[in-house]
């Protein structure tokens, strides 16, 4: 099955870590791997990373999730 990439953010204040709650799932279970793209030249492969932005602007965070069978969302 195809995984579903989803997350929520909290504590969105300049200079403070943004809390990222990973809500990704896959029906039937299975291992998932993650690539978080913070669109500032940095990425993370942690399940639930945090990120501190130092510039006041709208930041876009992308999450790509891959199942242990190679399916991607």
């Amino acid at each position: 099955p195809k995984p579903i990439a989803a997350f929520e953010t909290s504590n969105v204040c300049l200079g403070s870590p943004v809390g990222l709650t990973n809500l990704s799932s896959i029906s039937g279970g299975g291992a998932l791997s993650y690539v978080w793209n913070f669109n500032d030249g940095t990425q993370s492969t942690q399940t639930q990373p945090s990120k501190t932005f130092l510039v006041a602007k709208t930041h876009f965070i992308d999450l790509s999730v891959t199942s242990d069978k190679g399916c991607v969302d």
Side-chain angles (χ1 to χ4, degrees):
K2 184 178 177 181
I4 299 171
F7 67 95
E8 293 178 340
T9 62
S10 63
N11 192 33
V12 184
C13 296
L14 184 63
S16 297
V18 175
L20 297 164
T21 303
N22 190 340
L23 303 173
S24 302
S25 63
I26 187 167
S27 64
L32 298 175
S33 60
Y34 309 95
V35 177
W36 298 82
N37 181 353
F38 298 110
N39 292 298
D40 64 353
T42 65
Q43 294 183 331
S44 175
T45 56
Q46 294 178 333
T47 301
Q48 212 151 278
S50 67
K51 173 67 177 175
T52 301
F53 292 102
L54 301 176
V55 176
K57 68 174 193 170
T58 301
H59 295 275
F60 295 95
I61 300 171
D62 299 312
L63 173 59
S64 176
V65 180
T66 304
S67 74
D68 55 0
K69 306 292 187 209
C71 298
V72 179
D73 183 24

